[in-house]
Amino acid sequence: MSGGQPSAPGTSGGPERPTPGEPPARGRVERITAGAAARVATAAARARAIARRVEQTPAPPGPFRPGFWRSPIRGPWLTSVFGLVLLVGIPVLFVTGALSYAAYNPDLGPLNDQTPDKGLLGFYLFDWPTHPYWLYRLTQGVHVTLGVVLVPVLLAKLWSVIPKLFEWLPVRSVAHGLERLSLLLLVGGAIFEFVTGILNIQLYYVFPGSFYTLHFYGAWVFIAAFVVHVVLKLGRMTRALRSRSLATELRTDLVHTRPEPPDLDGLVPTAPAAPTMTRRGAVAMVGTGSLLLLVVTAGQSIGGRLRNTALLAPHNRNPGGGPNGFQINKTAAAVGVSPAHIGPSWRLALHGHGTTPLVFTREQLLTMRQHAAALPIACVEGWSTEDQHWSGLRLADLAALAGLPDAGSVLVESVQPPGPYSSVVLRGNQIHDPRALLALRVNGADLSIDHGFPARVIVPANPGVNNTKWVHRLTFRT
């Protein structure tokens, strides 16, 4: 009012004035900050309200309902028993698979590298050795046989944790969502790796791309998820294994089989049914399945009389009798090699120091000094032969003949039409091993057409597909 007392600063009676020394913008910033904080608090409250409403949403019918899974033997202990087997077996699978990749010497170039753009995933690669000569036969035999043997254990483990795959709600928080993502990658990666591996063993290539590329990248995704899962669950697995005695469980009959106490992971059923199998029976069934698969698989790698027991192996029978009566990966007809490619006009060309190659007929090669080596053939599918007695020319002698006695690599080319493994590059250590041959004969007889006549490469510890058949050109390099 006119004539009244003037309003005090900061009251509603007059404009607010900044206090002496205070920046004019400071009050405005504080008001904006306070308003933003209030809006964030309001949004958080709404989000919590929405989360509570979502959490109260009833589970859909079927496997998402808590009472759907009723097996009284399902629980942390049985899951941990199967998990312990996989905890030992899967790292062995991964290491032997990585060694199989290294055996192809992918650093020598695209002819050997079936997984382009590997980047950092090839950090461990090294020069694949030729000693011991049975090294690849061992590592790949273990890889394939163990992979098959672990199938029942993997299926049992998935059965034991299947309620986790149907949790409701599927995602309850950021942390829970990350755990679910790792579980998805773990289960999906395991199924993908085992299925593609078994299909490869049976030579059933229905992949949307190269088996090697898919299996390689799939293995890295799977092992990453596996490591995360182990870190998250190792403590719980250890406690679960200690919670019950294995010896006691193996003596418990059906009448005395009881569910485990409720667990945090929800594996124990809320409404268990009457038992129809003991935990002892479940372990025995899985173990018997793995043992049976071992019997019908391992013979393809071990050889001898056990080869006849390898019923699941595509190469469990010898192709005929005689000196050439041992396993073949692919026949000449299967890869398009005809008699015209390997007839009288066939020649071996040696390229090396000079610009003009040296050219030889097979008869000329046979007049040169011959050397012998007893070596098996071992392939990525897991099968291998006994030691076969090869004879021919040492690769080291051919390198010297080409003018490069210290050759660091050799390009081996086949008359086979262009395709995977029609050509390969070998390292210097493979060239200079005295057992590495350009073989002309095997077990005292000329090579058969299917075994690579007129000439093939045979190198100690080399994957079978890199022991190129029907060779017609060797290019030695420094």
Side-chain angles (χ1 to χ4, degrees):
M1 292 179 59
S2 177
Q5 295 285 337
S7 300
T11 65
S12 58
E16 182 179 349
R17 300 174 184 269
T19 59
E22 180 184 11
R26 181 174 177 179
R28 188 179 306 111
V29 170
E30 290 177 349
R31 289 195 301 274
I32 293 174
T33 302
R39 287 191 291 271
V40 169
T42 302
R46 291 176 180 174
R48 287 193 294 270
I50 293 173
R52 284 193 295 270
R53 286 197 296 270
V54 171
E55 289 174 356
Q56 295 170 1
T57 303
F64 290 97
R65 292 290 172 92
F68 184 85
W69 307 103
R70 303 186 61 197
S71 173
I73 65 173
R74 185 183 278 116
W77 184 85
L78 189 60
T79 295
S80 298
V81 169
F82 298 138
L84 181 61
V85 177
L86 294 176
L87 182 62
V88 175
I90 284 178
V92 175
L93 275 183
F94 180 76
V95 170
T96 52
L99 290 177
S100 177
Y101 177 56
Y104 285 80
N105 286 317
D107 282 344
L108 291 179
L111 288 178
N112 293 40
D113 191 0
Q114 297 299 309
T115 55
D117 301 323
K118 59 184 177 295
L120 293 177
L121 299 182
F123 70 93
Y124 67 93
L125 294 176
F126 53 93
D127 293 0
W128 185 251
T130 58
H131 299 274
Y133 71 91
W134 39 259
L135 179 61
Y136 187 76
R137 183 183 184 189
L138 172 66
T139 58
Q140 195 60 19
V142 169
H143 182 73
V144 170
T145 302
L146 181 60
V148 173
V149 167
L150 286 180
V151 167
V153 184
L154 176 68
L155 294 177
K157 178 67 160 59
L158 292 177
W159 170 85
S160 72
V161 299
I162 198 169
K164 289 287 291 181
L165 302 180
F166 292 93
E167 275 188 344
W168 189 261
L169 296 164
V171 178
R172 296 191 292 269
S173 65
V174 174
H176 184 251
L178 292 175
E179 181 184 352
R180 298 286 289 172
L181 178 61
S182 71
L183 186 63
L184 176 64
L185 294 176
L186 178 70
V187 174
I191 294 173
F192 179 83
E193 286 298 288
F194 276 81
V195 169
T196 55
I198 290 172
L199 290 177
N200 178 66
I201 295 170
Q202 298 301 321
L203 305 178
Y204 190 55
Y205 298 108
V206 292
F207 320 112
S210 168
F211 161 77
Y212 298 94
T213 304
L214 295 172
H215 205 65
F216 177 81
Y217 288 118
W220 280 103
V221 171
F222 171 54
I223 200 65
F226 178 78
V227 170
V228 171
H229 186 72
V230 169
V231 170
L232 293 175
K233 300 295 185 180
L234 185 59
R236 292 186 185 180
M237 186 186 81
T238 303
R239 289 190 294 272
L241 290 173
R242 291 175 176 174
S243 68
R244 306 175 85 85
S245 166
L246 176 62
T248 301
E249 287 298 331
L250 294 182
R251 291 194 300 266
T252 303
D253 58 18
L254 189 64
V255 175
H256 296 92
T257 297
R258 299 287 185 273
E260 295 184 50
D263 65 308
L264 295 176
D265 289 324
L267 299 179
V268 178
T270 56
T276 57
M277 176 182 285
T278 63
R279 294 180 182 86
R280 171 181 64 188
V283 172
M285 181 177 66
V286 173
T288 301
S290 291
L291 180 61
L292 179 62
L293 289 176
L294 175 66
V295 170
V296 298
T297 303
Q300 68 170 344
S301 301
I302 297 174
R305 294 182 179 180
L306 288 177
R307 194 174 300 280
N308 293 327
T309 68
L311 303 179
L312 295 184
H315 301 281
N316 63 310
R317 293 181 176 84
N318 293 338
N324 282 272
F326 55 94
Q327 285 77 4
I328 294 170
N329 192 1
K330 292 183 179 180
T331 64
V335 298
V337 174
S338 67
H341 291 109
I342 54 177
S345 62
W346 176 89
R347 298 291 184 272
L348 175 71
L350 291 184
H351 295 256
H353 182 68
T355 57
T356 303
L358 301 176
V359 179
F360 301 92
T361 65
R362 191 171 189 275
E363 289 70 24
Q364 289 172 322
L365 295 176
L366 286 169
T367 63
M368 299 179 184
R369 184 182 178 185
Q370 304 291 297
H371 297 270
L375 299 172
I377 296 176
C379 277
V380 69
E381 296 90 3
W383 65 267
S384 59
T385 72
E386 308 290 350
D387 289 356
Q388 308 300 321
H389 295 273
W390 310 88
S391 62
L393 307 175
R394 285 178 175 168
L395 294 182
D397 293 342
L398 293 173
L401 193 60
L404 290 174
D406 298 322
S409 66
V410 60
L411 171 63
V412 183
E413 297 177 82
S414 172
V415 300
Q416 175 184 340
Y421 304 110
S422 61
S423 301
V424 73
V425 181
L426 302 177
R427 287 191 186 277
N429 66 312
Q430 295 174 312
I431 296 171
H432 299 293
D433 190 295
R435 296 163 297 180
L437 303 177
L438 179 71
L440 305 174
R441 294 167 62 83
V442 63
N443 298 323
D446 287 343
L447 296 170
S448 68
I449 293 178
D450 288 336
H451 277 302
F453 180 87
R456 68 169 297 163
V457 163
I458 187 75
V459 175
N462 204 30
V465 290
N466 280 5
N467 289 321
T468 306
K469 299 189 283 188
W470 313 292
V471 176
H472 80 109
R473 183 182 295 120
L474 297 173
T475 303
F476 293 93
R477 303 165 175 173
T478 57

